[in-house]
Amino acid sequence: MATPSAKLEPAEPEDLPGAWAVYLACTRPEDQSGCRQAAPDRPDLPPPLYAHLLLTSEGAFWVARYEDQVVGFAAAVTRGRLWWLSELWVAPGFRGRGIGSALLRKVRRASRGVRGRVLAGLTGPDGAGMVLGLRAGMWARYPVFTVEGGQEAAERLRRANPLPPGARMARYDAAAKLGPRSPLLRLDREVLGGTRADDHVFWMTHGGRTCLLLWKGNRALAYAYLGTGGEVGPLAAAGPQGLRSALGLVVSKAARKSETVRLRIPGINQVALKAVLDAGFQLVADSQLLASEEFGCLERYLPGDESLF
Ligand SMILES: CC(C)(COP(=O)(O)OP(=O)(O)OC[C@H]1O[C@@H](n2cnc3c(N)ncnc32)[C@H](O)[C@@H]1OP(=O)(O)O)[C@@H](O)C(=O)NCCC(=O)NCCS
C-alpha cells in the first residue's frame, strides 16, 4: 500500500470536529488500543474540552491532514513548570507512518519554554504511545488506576472516612474570583507545583463539573470535583486526613447522581487506593504516568482526566 503523506498544521476551530472524529475512531470498543475512555455523552459534537485546549495551549494544538481530512492531532498545555501532553491520536488506518512522532515534535516546538519544564502525560496500553513518550524523555513513573464502585461501596467509603471535627464541605462556585490567593490555586501550588486558574474556570463552567471545597476554620483542606455522570476528580488535598474525608464525601455525592462512580488514582496515592479498595471499589483499567522527572505530591492527588490531569 502506498504510504500517505500527511500535512501538519496548527489547528483552527473548524478542525475540532475532524479531531473529534479521529478520537472516536481510536476509542471504538474494537480498537481500544489507546487510553481507555468512557463513551462520550454527545458523539456528534466535539467536547468543550477541545475548544478549551485550543484557547489555552498557546499554539500547541496541531492536526495532521490527508486529502483535507484530519487523520491525527496533538495538543499540549503548559501549566507552571508542567508541560502536559493532553492529546496525541492518529486514526487507525494511518498509524506506523511517522505521523504521531511528527505531531509530538510540532507541539513540543510550539510550546514556548519547554526547556526547564517537566514533560508529562498519560498513555494507555498502546505500545506506540509509550514508545513516543519514552523517546521524548518522558519515563514511565507509575500506573494510574481507574476504579469504579456502586452506591453501596460509595456509602462504605463515606462512613469509613468521616469529616474531621469542625470541618465542612461546601460547593465552591467562584470561577470569577480565582485570584492568586484562591484556595484552589494554593492547593495546586502545594500538590502539583504550579497553578491552573483557566482549567478551574473551565471545569466549573463549560466542563460541567461541580467543585467542592473542604474547610476547617479558614483553612482549605482539599478541593474535589464531581461530574454529572459519576466521575470524580481532580481532587487535591493538603494532607491524608483531608484526602480521605474529601474522597468519602465527593464519592457519596457522585453516587447520588449515578449508579457507578468512577475515579482515577495514581499508584503512588496509597491512601486513596487503600480507602477505595477497602470500601469494595473495583480496578477496571490502568494507564501509565510518563514524566521527564518527578513532580508535585501526587500521593495527595487524583487526576480529573487524561487531558488536563
Ligand atoms: C500513539 C500513536 C499516536 C502513534 O501514532 P503513529 O503515527 O503510529 O506513530 P509513529 O508512526 O510516528 O511512531 C510509532 C513508533 O512506535 C514504534 N512502535 C509501535 N509499537 C511498538 C512496540 N510495541 N515496541 C516498540 N516500538 C513500537 C513504531 O515502530 C514506530 O517507530 P518507528 O517510526 O521508529 O518505526 C497512535 O498509535 C495512537 O493514536 N494510539 C492511540 C492513542 C494513544 O495511545 N495516544 C498516546 C497518548 S494518550
Side-chain angles (χ1 to χ4, degrees), residues 181-203:
R181 294 160 69 90
S182 149
L184 302 185
L185 303 193
R186 190 178 58 70
L187 284 163
D188 278 346
R189 242 177 260 119
E190 278 180 35
V191 175
L192 294 175
T195 62
R196 45 180 185 170
D198 288 345
D199 298 337
H200 287 290
V201 172
F202 168 72
W203 284 316

Side-chain angles (χ1 to χ4, degrees), residues 41-130:
D41 296 339
R42 289 290 311 267
D44 51 327
L45 289 178
L49 170 72
Y50 284 14
H52 175 69
L53 292 176
L54 195 56
L55 271 177
T56 64
S57 57
E58 300 173 330
F61 194 144
W62 280 64
V63 292
R65 239 187 279 281
Y66 177 67
E67 291 181 347
D68 288 338
Q69 186 199 339
V70 176
V71 297
F73 69 106
V77 293
T78 304
R79 304 289 187 250
R81 265 195 79 217
L82 187 64
W83 179 91
W84 184 259
L85 180 61
S86 302
E87 310 290 336
L88 179 61
W89 301 93
V90 172
F94 289 81
R95 291 187 188 161
R97 292 154 190 200
I99 298 174
S101 318
L103 281 167
L104 182 54
R105 275 195 301 277
K106 287 291 187 194
V107 294
R108 283 192 62 177
R109 283 202 200 121
S111 302
R112 275 173 278 152
V114 165
R115 205 178 286 270
R117 296 195 191 269
V118 182
L119 309 186
L122 284 177
T123 186
D126 177 276
M130 178 68 81

